[in-house]
Amino acid sequence: QVQLQESGPGLVQPSQTLSLTCTVSGGSITTGLYYWSWIRQPPGKGLEWIGSIRYNGIAYSSPSLKSRTSISRDTTKNLFTLQLSSVTPEDTAVYYCARTITIPVTTRGQMDSWGQGTQVTVSS
């Protein structure tokens, strides 16, 4: 069974870059027709898809966040990463990594497996 675990700082200062890592176990990020995705949920709001990287290394981003988003992977460590630049308090959210069947991700039903989530707060 695939397991995903998010890691990264819980507090980021405004204008800085948010960096998160998702470590995957129980399955390779280079096999299968899956997307390896980042999703967030701001307080009191619904899920927001940030972007994904596919098994073949092609990355996709939400149009609203594309200019600030970079998603990459390290196949030797079986992990993928998110960098979100120029953050503001509006980027405060619980960030999830997930294996998804399709994108963009709008519902939990699209998530085949997902991590427990990590709270990221943007504040000075």
Side-chain angles (χ1 to χ4, degrees), residues 67-120:
S67 64
R68 300 195 289 131
T69 300
S70 177
I71 296 175
S72 61
R73 66 180 187 173
D74 185 336
T75 58
T76 64
K77 296 180 180 178
N78 209 41
L79 58 81
F80 60 106
T81 64
L82 168 68
Q83 291 193 313
L84 184 66
S85 63
S86 305
V87 297
T88 72
E90 291 186 348
D91 293 307
T92 295
V94 177
Y95 285 74
Y96 298 91
C97 61
R99 187 174 78 172
T100 62
I101 309 300
T102 57
I103 60 168
V105 182
T106 58
T107 68
R108 287 192 180 272
Q110 294 172 262
M111 302 181 193
D112 178 73
S113 302
W114 59 91
Q116 64 183 14
T118 186
Q119 173 70 48
V120 177

Side-chain angles (χ1 to χ4, degrees), residues 2 7 10 18 22 34 77 118:
V2 171
S7 60
L18 180 163
C22 183
Y34 296 110
K77 296 180 180 178
T118 186

